[in-house]
DNA sequence: GCACTGAATGGGCAAATGCTCATTCACTAG
DNA sequence: CTAGTGAATGAGCATTTGCCCATTCAGTGC
């Protein structure tokens, strides 16, 4: 038996065990007996099924408090579309909490009859959202990336939100084959002068819906941790009031973009404030509150998926 | 606090606890602390969330053996669309197993851009399927019932597959407001002569997709247990070779309809063999194998959602 | 053939869970 | 006000689950 078959059958077993456990409500002992394996192995299979995302869980009930927070956020910040996921408590992973709710929202756009062009940023929140998507094939929509997919080290693997969506939904997909951050402004211009890239950029600009993450600009800002800016640059940004970041573009606490040496080297498409079409941020967590508030104030986004604790913080003050 | 609020907040708590448990992976102790209730109460909330269907679980991986069975069934019976759910073992509830898989298949039709007219029969399998549907609103489709919704005792509650779908999806819905089984053939004709009912019948006949359950005709046939036929009638049918039943219409082991005294009194729309559009049966369980095989042979249906054990039985002999 | 390495396995145990049951609580009818 | 009724509660306990760890196993390099 070759390696691929073995991997596949392992997945099969895990899926089967997970199905029996979560759908069938069987105990791990029963599963072990049914599959002819030890109880420990059954336990491992079940837990693997969950870890590998073979099992999707979704909540089919709007909790009153979340509905209230949604309404309040809409009113307070003049948003069109808000979803608030129940909080998972202090230790919880906020990306996980938002993921399934964000996936549900995305699915409402995918369910539309009119072909939609849907643009995506990157980040952990969006990755988690995609992992929670139901893989219902829909061939009429297009998905496009707002941000370059060539990482500093040349790999494209980390920035694959688009690819994984396309894989799940079998939609036409348009990654943006430019460096996330070019070495020089000239290099950036060179890429953007290419015809195919101009089409992708045009498509992204014309998107009917946009889903983005929001990055914070504290000392552990994603931009810094992922190696796009040096510690010195980050500190300079902070000194100039950098509060958050949207597909690489840094903004201050009023949500106004800050021009930086990076600006001219950044591949991809900047999201201009006050867009008429839905621009939905998927973001939650205490560290992101200031960044989210700034983006909302500056009308960089007009929709939000977050969790209860973050919503509460955004409604304070 | 009034009764409705109390019911709602109870659901809220259950949903929240279920969310924390299944999505957040918290222990019931942690949940109890977070919600400020006893551990037992947290346990009850979590289990209530599951029982009341607030939590949906879905498997995002096709198990090899199921894929194989699907292909084999397609070939053997010339079917267009087959889904096989992993078996839940001897004690498992086959309706539960098929429900989530059937819901996924239904969602692929709902995802289509062209407005679809989707017709439904009744039964436990279909009810369970609806319970598993993701409530993504889609306003372009129509759902229509193939069978009367007036039960012998005058209640309409039991036959509400259509209503619950409409409730979830906010689609236009067309129940068939005639008795499931009229007292006399004349009464049946009277109902069907009415203009509004003729439109519903016409709509049902023109359906783009049909989802039905299949009933068996053994000694505990649904038709008998639900009080539509007497024990004597059932035995007469059996003597005449009755093997299964589709929206009330009885057929023999070759899948040919049997004319009975019931035929002329049955409200709703009979499914004619060899339809070109998808006619998908959702049915599983050892007791139904003969009925399913007959329906497949007679080309009454051209699609099937079942479970592994039933698939294996259908592929035997 | 043999030693090495990392993954897989199952024993064992502490933690988590589900369930039963006696008790309490809230509400109702008299 | 009081007794009655049924649902909700939490204690206690048996079962189930998650996880650590020593051991085995399969594959690899020498």
């Amino acid at each position: 038996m070759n390696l691929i078959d073995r991997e596949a059958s392992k997945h099969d077993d895990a899926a089967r065990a997970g199905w029996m456990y979560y759908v069938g409500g069987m105990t791990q002992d029963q599963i072990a007996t049914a599959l002819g394996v030890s109880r420990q192995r059954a336990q491992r299979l079940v837990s693997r099924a969950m870890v590998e995302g073979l099992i999707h869980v979704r909540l089919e009930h709007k909790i009153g408090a979340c509905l209230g927070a949604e309404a309040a956020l809409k009113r307070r910040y003049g948003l069109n579309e808000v979803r608030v996921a129940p909080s998972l408590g202090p230790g919880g992973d906020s990306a996980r909490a938002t993921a399934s709710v964000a996936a549900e929202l995305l699915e409402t756009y995918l369910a539309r009859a009119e072909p939609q062009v849907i643009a995506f940023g990157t980040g952990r929140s969006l990755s988690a959202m995609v992992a929670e998507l139901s893989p219902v094939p829909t061939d009429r929509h297009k998905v496009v990336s707002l941000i370059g997919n060539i990482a500093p080290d040349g790999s494209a693997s980390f920035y694959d939100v688009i690819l994984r969506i396309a894989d799940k939904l079998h939609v036409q997909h348009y990654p943006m084959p430019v460096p996330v951050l070019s070495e020089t402004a000239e290099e950036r211009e060179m890429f953007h002068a290419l015809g195919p890239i101009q089409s992708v950029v045009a498509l992204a600009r014309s998107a009917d819906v946009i889903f983005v993450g929001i990055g914070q600009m504290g000392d552990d800002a994603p931009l810094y941790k992922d190696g796009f800016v040096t510690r010195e640059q980050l500190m300079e940004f902070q000194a100039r009031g950098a509060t958050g970041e949207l597909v690489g573009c840094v903004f201050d606490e009023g949500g106004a973009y800050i021009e930086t040496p990076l600006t001219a080297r950044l591949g991809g498409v900047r999201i201009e404030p006050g867009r008429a079409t839905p621009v939905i941020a998927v973001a939650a967590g205490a560290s992101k509150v200031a960044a989210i508030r700034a983006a909302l104030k500056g009308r960089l986004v007009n929709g939000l998926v977050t969790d209860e604790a973050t919503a509460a913080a955004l409604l304070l003050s």
Side-chain angles (χ1 to χ4, degrees), chain A:
Chain A
M1 199 190 286
N2 67 41
L3 224 128
I4 290 175
D5 276 2
R6 225 161 64 200
E7 263 317 302
S9 85
K10 224 179 255 175
H11 260 84
D12 272 18
D13 287 349
R16 188 178 288 277
W19 172 265
M20 290 168 131
Y21 190 72
Y22 289 105
V23 179
M26 297 166 68
T27 73
Q28 298 181 353
D29 255 328
Q30 295 174 293
I31 296 169
T33 308
L35 298 183
V37 299
S38 69
R39 191 194 60 83
Q40 289 89 336
R41 185 156 166 69
Q43 196 272 333
R44 278 179 192 120
L45 287 171
V46 170
S47 102
R48 175 201 299 250
M50 185 48 96
V51 168
E52 302 203 350
L54 269 36
I55 301 289
H56 282 197
V57 180
R58 206 166 273 189
L59 177 67
E60 303 297 352
H61 176 85
K62 289 268 191 179
I63 295 173
C66 297
L67 278 174
E70 288 172 9
L73 281 170
K74 276 187 193 170
R75 204 166 342 107
R76 170 77 167 267
Y77 292 101
L79 301 173
N80 299 325
E81 191 81 77
V82 178
R83 299 293 164 101
V84 174
S87 272
L88 290 176
D93 174 356
S94 57
R96 182 141 59 133
T98 54
S100 106
V101 174
E104 232 174 296
L105 178 58
L106 173 52
E107 282 169 23
T108 65
Y109 288 102
L110 294 170
R112 300 209 171 171
E114 313 80 43
Q116 306 278 313
V117 176
I118 311 181
F120 294 89
T122 56
R124 227 164 62 80
S125 298
L126 291 191
S127 290
M129 171 181 79
V130 175
E132 287 294 321
L133 263 189
S134 287
V136 177
T138 46
D139 50 11
R140 63 187 170 282
H141 307 306
K142 292 177 181 174
V143 298
V144 56
S145 184
L146 289 167
I147 196 165
N149 71 341
I150 303 176
D153 61 357
S155 80
S157 60
F158 191 65
Y159 296 92
D160 57 358
V161 171
I162 288 293
L163 289 178
R164 282 187 298 127
I165 289 184
D167 193 45
K168 273 210 165 166
L169 305 177
H170 303 128
V171 291
Q172 281 182 276
H173 57 292
Y174 301 85
M176 192 157 297
V178 305
V180 181
L181 192 67
S182 298
E183 290 295 323
T184 62
E186 289 69 37
E187 183 185 308
R188 193 258 182 207
E189 289 314 316
M190 208 192 68
F191 270 103
H192 276 251
L194 298 173
I197 295 191
Q198 288 183 341
S199 339
V200 176
V201 168
L203 192 67
R205 287 230 169 83
S206 74
D208 298 302
V209 203
I210 296 175
F211 280 85
V212 286
I214 291 182
Q216 44 89 11
M217 291 297 286
D219 291 341
D220 54 348
L223 273 189
Y224 164 62
K225 283 205 297 184
D226 292 347
F228 293 112
V229 305
T230 63
R231 168 159 286 284
E232 289 67 38
Q233 287 176 304
L234 176 63
M235 284 164 61
E236 192 207 318
F237 291 169
Q238 290 173 339
R240 291 173 58 193
T243 306
E245 159 257 320
L246 211 60
V247 289
C249 304
V250 179
F251 52 83
D252 66 20
E253 66 175 340
Y257 284 121
I258 299 177
E259 296 298 322
T260 69
L262 256 60
T263 313
R265 290 163 42 211
L266 212 50
V269 173
R270 184 157 100 171
I271 295 171
E272 295 307 325
R275 273 185 73 108
T277 53
V279 182
I280 294 158
V282 182
S287 65
K288 286 188 180 169
V289 171
I292 297 170
R293 180 183 283 125
L296 297 181
K297 272 197 211 165
R299 308 212 156 266
L300 299 179
V301 304
N302 54 34
L304 178 66
V305 179
T306 190
D307 69 5
E308 235 178 334
T310 311
L314 288 168
L315 289 167
L316 269 185
S317 84

